[in-house]
Amino acid sequence: MNTELLGIYLNDHLAGAIAGTELARRISRTHPELRILADDVEADRKELLAVMQASGVEPRQHKAAIGWLTEKAGRLKFNGRLLGRSPLSDVLELETMRMGIEGKAAMWRTLQSLPGIDAERMDRLLQRAESQAVLVDQYRLHLAPKAFTAAIPSGVDVERTFTVASTPEGVVDYLRDFARAEQWDPGTVTCTRLDDGPVEVGSRWRNVSTFLGRKTELVYELTRDEPDGLQFVGTNDTATSTDDISITAGASPGTTRIGYHAHLEFRGLARFGAPVAKLALEKLGNDTERNLVRVLGDAR
């Protein structure tokens, strides 16, 4: 037997096995019920290494690196979303997994025909590959209809949780007046009260802010005012911005744990800017956290 050619063949499949193992692990993180698939694919990679050792073939590190990089590069494919996973990601990943299983089964069949290879072992591995293919097809065909009927995302979210050196009562009292957003919201240019009297549910403010390099004006309303949280909803013709702020006592006396959740919902053509807005909103989330810690006190 030409061991040099066999070595090239098996190392090429080893690269595929490494890529398949990484992909199966990633799939199982999204779908824990497919952990058995990831375990099987990992076991197949070890079986291939055992066959290579028995055949006197040394694994080539550069091939292993290619397999690892191939899986990582596969994450860059277009899936209809600039950021994060799309419903289409599941379908594409499972289809890639299915093709990998077919390639692996073809390898087991090829090895089964060679002298000196344990035919019964190859038969067992072929049966396992067939079971993997059935499982992947079941999930792929179950998820496909959902993927192609999923709504186009029209909003983006950002969340931050942190602790400040102020009491919960002090935090609620400070944040209740949204005009103070000029002090803690990095995007706010001006924020002016539109009505009179004590601040309460229904109070309104005109907020002028900069976002993605443009000035934007929204009218905000206090829609929730409770000891454990506040909610402000801002609207204009193209978007609705909702700031949910949860407020609980911190672990140390005189401190408060703040949960900040901003949701920006777009309307009309503006919704196609959601992926870009997500990047900007993430930065604003970081800056907002820093500013609130600065004005309310650093609890560290």
Side-chain angles (χ1 to χ4, degrees), residues 26-192:
R26 180 148 59 96
I27 290 172
S28 70
R29 286 194 289 271
T30 306
H31 300 282
E33 64 274 20
L34 290 177
R35 177 69 195 185
I36 187 172
L37 174 66
D39 292 342
D40 271 2
V41 172
E42 170 66 17
D44 288 341
R45 184 186 67 82
K46 293 178 179 178
E47 290 275 8
L48 176 55
L49 286 170
V51 170
M52 292 172 70
Q53 183 178 24
S55 303
V57 173
E58 289 289 330
R60 297 176 182 174
Q61 293 303 316
H62 72 282
K63 290 285 188 180
I66 289 172
W68 185 85
L69 289 170
T70 297
E71 193 280 330
K72 304 305 176 190
R75 303 186 187 193
L76 301 177
K77 62 185 176 299
F78 294 108
N79 61 5
R81 298 268 178 93
L82 179 63
L83 300 169
R85 290 181 64 82
S86 147
L88 190 57
S89 297
D90 288 327
V91 177
L92 292 172
E93 287 175 356
L94 288 168
E95 286 188 352
T96 301
M97 192 79 250
R98 182 68 169 81
M99 289 186 287
I101 292 169
E102 283 296 325
K104 176 169 57 182
M107 176 189 63
W108 298 141
R109 292 190 190 96
T110 297
L111 292 175
Q112 194 174 40
S113 69
L114 300 181
I117 301 293
D118 186 343
E120 290 186 5
R121 185 182 201 178
M122 295 302 105
D123 188 59
R124 173 176 57 82
L125 292 171
L126 270 170
Q127 291 180 26
R128 185 156 71 186
E130 290 169 1
S131 297
Q132 292 169 2
V134 170
L135 179 62
V136 168
D137 275 343
Q138 287 175 343
Y139 271 86
R140 179 174 60 86
L141 296 176
H142 171 70
L143 293 171
K146 298 178 182 179
F148 293 107
T149 56
I152 297 174
S154 58
V156 294
D157 294 83
V158 64
E159 296 184 61
R160 297 291 185 271
T161 302
F162 50 94
T163 301
V164 297
S166 297
T167 64
E169 296 79 10
V171 171
V172 170
D173 185 62
Y174 175 80
L175 292 178
R176 181 184 287 118
D177 185 354
F178 199 64
R180 295 193 176 109
E182 294 180 10
Q183 301 171 18
W184 57 265
D185 180 7
T188 294
V189 178
T190 62
C191 193
T192 309

